[in-house]
C-alpha cells in the first residue's frame, strides 16, 4: 500500500510529503491544491498500470509550478513520488517529468533504505529514450540499457530484469511491490446525469463515472447478498423517505435494467431517474466503499491473491452535492470497510465533512489551507 505521497514541485505544492492512512481526507479552501493531490495520485496509478505519460497527464502544463522559470533549453516540468510499504519494507519511487517543450520522463529513481535499486536519466535530449541502470550485484554491479521516455521504467523492469542474481531479485521485489500498489487504485467520480437512464446488462463492473450503477446493483443482489443488504441499509440514511431495499428491474423492451428504491408494502418504488443528484452520488460512493476490485472496472494485480492487496479508492470531491447526513454516513462506511484492511480511501472534501471527520478516530485530515 502507498503510505506517503510526495509533491516536491507539482502545481502549487513545494516539498510536500503527505502521509496516507486507511482513511485520508484532504481539506482546504478552493485553490489550496486538493484536486492536484488526487490528480498526482491518479497519474502515478495510471503509470503503474502501463499508461503513457500523455495518458497520465493529458494537460501537463497545468501541473507545472506557477512562475517556474524555464532553463536554457526552455525546459519546464514537475516532480512527484510515493513510498510503498509491503513485505519488502518501505520502497521509494521518485519521478521527474519534463512537460515543456516535449512531455517526457527526465528522471526516475527506485530506492530502498537509501540504496538506489533503479534509476533513469535523460542523457540525450535528441533521443526519445532515457538511460536506465539497475542493481545487478556480483562482478557486474550495475546493468545499463535504454528505456522509453514516455513510460514508467519501474513498470517495465519485470520484462527487462532476469532475476538471476540476488541484486536483480531485490530490484524485482521492490518494483513488484510498487506496481501492485499503484495498480490497486480506483478513481471514482459519480456522474448523476449519466446514472438515471436504463443501462445494458453487462459484466456488472462499476465504471469510474458510475453510469452503469443499475447493472452493478443487479450483480451484487444476485452474487453478494450481504453487501447488497449493507448498501440498502446505508440508503435508509442517505436517501429521502422510507427505504425497504434496492430493487432492479428489466427495462421496457428488454436487454437493459433499471434500479429503484423499494419503499415498502403498499408504496410505489422510486426509480433512480427520480432521485436527486446527491442521492445518486451517495449510492454510488457507498457501493464503491462496500465492494472490492472484482466489482470495479479496474485491472488488479493478478500475480497476488486479492486478500494480499489493499484497494485504494480515490474520490475528488467526495462530499460534493451531499448533505451532512450523507457525508457522515459515507465516513461511517469508510471506517467500516477500511478497518478490515483491504480498502483504503483517499479523498478531497469540503470543510463541513472535514470538521466532522476530525472528531472520528481512524480518519486523517490533511489541512491544505496554510
Amino acid at each position: 500500500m502507498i503510505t506517503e505521497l510526495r509533491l516536491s514541485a507539482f502545481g502549487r505544492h513545494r516539498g510536500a510529503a503527505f502521509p496516507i492512512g486507511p482513511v485520508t481526507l484532504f481539506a482546504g479552501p478552493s485553490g489550496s491544491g486538493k484536486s492536484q493531490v488526487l490528480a498526482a495520485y491518479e497519474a502515478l496509478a495510471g503509470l503503474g498500470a502501463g499508461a503513457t505519460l500523455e495518458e497520465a497527464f493529458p494537460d501537463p502544463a497545468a501541473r507545472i509550478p506557477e512562475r517556474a522559470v524555464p532553463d536554457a533549453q526552455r525546459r519546464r516540468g514537475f516532480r512527484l513520488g510515493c513510498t510503498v510499504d509491503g513485505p519488502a519494507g518501505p520502497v521509494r519511487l521518485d519521478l521527474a517529468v519534463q512537460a515543456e517543450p516535449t512531455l517526457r520522463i527526465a528522471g526516475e529513481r527506485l530506492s530502498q533504505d537509501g540504496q538506489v535499486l533503479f534509476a533513469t536519466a535523460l542523457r540525450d535530449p535528441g533521443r526519445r529514450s532515457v538511460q536506465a541502470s539497475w542493481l545487478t550485484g556480483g562482478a557486474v554491479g550495475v546493468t545499463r540499457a535504454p528505456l522509453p521516455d514516455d513510460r514508467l521504467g519501474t513498470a517495465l523492469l519485470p520484462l527487462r530484469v532476469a532475476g538471476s542474481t540476488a541484486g536483480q531479485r531485490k530490484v524485482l521485489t521492490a518494483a513488484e511491490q510498487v506496481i501492485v500498489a499503484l495498480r490497486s487504485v480506483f478513481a471514482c467520480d459519480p456522474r448523476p446525469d449519466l446514472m438515471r437512464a436504463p443501462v445494458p446488462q453487462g459484466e456488472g463492473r462499476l465504471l469510474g463515472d458510475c453510469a452503469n450503477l443499475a447493472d452493478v446493483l443487479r450483480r451484487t443482489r444476485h452474487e453478494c447478498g450481504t453487501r447488497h443488504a449493507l448498501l440498502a441499509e446505508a440508503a435508509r440514511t442517505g436517501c429521502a423517505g422510507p427505504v425497504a431495499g434496492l430493487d432492479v428491474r428489466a427495462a421496457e423492451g428488454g436487454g437493459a435494467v433499471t434500479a429503484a428504491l423499494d419503499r415498502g408494502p403498499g408504496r410505489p418504488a422510486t426509480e433512480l431517474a427520480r432521485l436527486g443528484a446527491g442521492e445518486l452520488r451517495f449510492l454510488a460512493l457507498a457501493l464503491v466503499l462496500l465492494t472490492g476490485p472484482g466489482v470495479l472496472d479496474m485491472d488488479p494485480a493478478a500475480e497476488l491473491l486479492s486478500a494480499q492487496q489493499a484497494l485504494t479508492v480515490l474520490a475528488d470531491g467526495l462530499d460534493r452535492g451531499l448533505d451532512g447526513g450523507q457525508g457522515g454516513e459515507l465516513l461511517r462506511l469508510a471506517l467500516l470497510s477500511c478497518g478490515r484492511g483491504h480498502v483504503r480511501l483517499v479523498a478531497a472534501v469540503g470543510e463541513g465533512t472535514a470538521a466532522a471527520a476530525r472528531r472520528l478516530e481512524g480518519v486523517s485530515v490533511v489541512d491544505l489551507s496554510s
Side-chain angles (χ1 to χ4, degrees):
M1 61 186 71
I2 293 178
T3 56
E4 183 181 72
L5 181 68
R6 293 183 296 280
L7 304 178
S8 58
F10 190 92
R12 73 180 308 276
H13 299 287
R14 306 286 191 278
F18 304 115
I20 305 296
V23 181
T24 305
L25 306 180
F26 289 88
S30 178
S32 61
K34 302 188 297 293
S35 294
Q36 289 179 341
V37 174
L38 273 291
Y41 203 131
E42 186 176 358
L44 283 173
L47 291 171
T52 64
L53 276 182
E54 187 174 21
E55 293 167 336
F57 299 105
D59 186 12
R63 308 306 176 194
I64 300 175
E66 190 177 3
R67 295 186 297 274
V69 179
D71 63 12
Q73 285 76 42
R74 296 184 301 163
R75 295 177 299 187
R76 296 198 303 167
F78 46 86
R79 296 175 180 270
L80 66 164
C82 63
T83 297
V84 178
D85 207 353
V91 178
R92 288 175 58 102
L93 172 67
D94 294 288
L95 188 66
V97 177
Q98 174 189 299
E100 297 174 351
T102 56
L103 181 63
R104 61 198 310 183
I105 290 178
E108 178 181 348
R109 176 175 293 183
L110 187 71
S111 60
Q112 184 176 27
D113 296 328
Q115 181 183 27
V116 177
L117 304 179
F118 167 73
T120 69
L122 183 59
R123 300 297 186 191
D124 185 353
R127 294 185 177 182
R128 293 312 307 258
S129 64
V130 291
Q131 183 64 36
S133 61
W134 57 84
L135 179 68
T136 301
V140 177
V142 173
T143 300
R144 291 180 172 83
L147 289 179
D149 68 352
D150 66 340
R151 295 182 184 272
L152 190 70
T154 299
L156 301 176
L157 286 176
L159 303 175
R160 301 298 297 268
V161 181
S164 56
T165 68
Q168 290 177 343
R169 289 190 289 272
K170 185 174 183 179
V171 171
L172 287 175
T173 298
E176 179 188 72
Q177 181 166 293
V178 169
I179 297 308
V180 167
L182 292 178
R183 287 172 58 184
S184 303
V185 171
F186 182 72
C188 179
D189 186 11
R191 291 276 306 276
D193 56 311
L194 302 178
M195 298 161 60
R196 303 181 188 277
V199 296
Q201 291 192 39
E203 296 181 348
R205 300 184 68 187
L206 190 66
L207 302 173
D209 59 13
C210 303
N212 62 334
L213 176 65
D215 185 44
V216 180
L217 291 176
R218 173 195 59 80
R219 178 182 174 187
T220 59
R221 186 181 66 172
H222 290 293
E223 296 184 7
C224 190
T226 299
R227 288 178 177 175
H228 193 82
L230 287 173
L231 182 61
E233 180 182 344
R236 298 186 185 100
T237 299
C239 297
V243 177
L246 290 167
D247 194 14
V248 181
R249 307 169 178 175
E252 293 184 8
V257 294
T258 61
L261 296 183
D262 180 359
R263 297 299 190 179
R267 297 174 181 267
T270 303
E271 294 189 356
L272 294 190
R274 302 180 63 87
L275 296 182
E279 291 176 303
L280 287 173
R281 279 185 55 84
F282 170 82
L283 283 175
L285 290 165
L287 175 60
V288 171
L289 291 173
L290 288 171
T291 188
V295 186
L296 304 177
D297 186 30
M298 59 183 297
D299 184 23
E303 57 267 32
L304 287 182
L305 297 173
S306 59
Q308 295 176 305
Q309 302 179 49
L311 166 69
T312 299
V313 175
L314 296 184
D316 188 6
L318 176 74
D319 54 352
R320 187 188 318 126
L322 306 186
D323 60 30
Q326 292 168 329
E329 179 65 6
L330 285 183
L331 290 179
R332 185 190 73 82
L333 293 178
L335 288 172
L336 173 67
S337 299
C338 298
R340 298 167 182 161
H342 296 306
V343 177
R344 294 160 68 83
L345 173 66
V346 179
V349 298
E351 184 49 44
T353 301
R358 291 186 182 98
R359 299 191 292 267
L360 297 177
E361 184 179 355
V363 179
S364 302
V365 179
V366 181
D367 190 355
L368 299 179
S369 59
S370 56

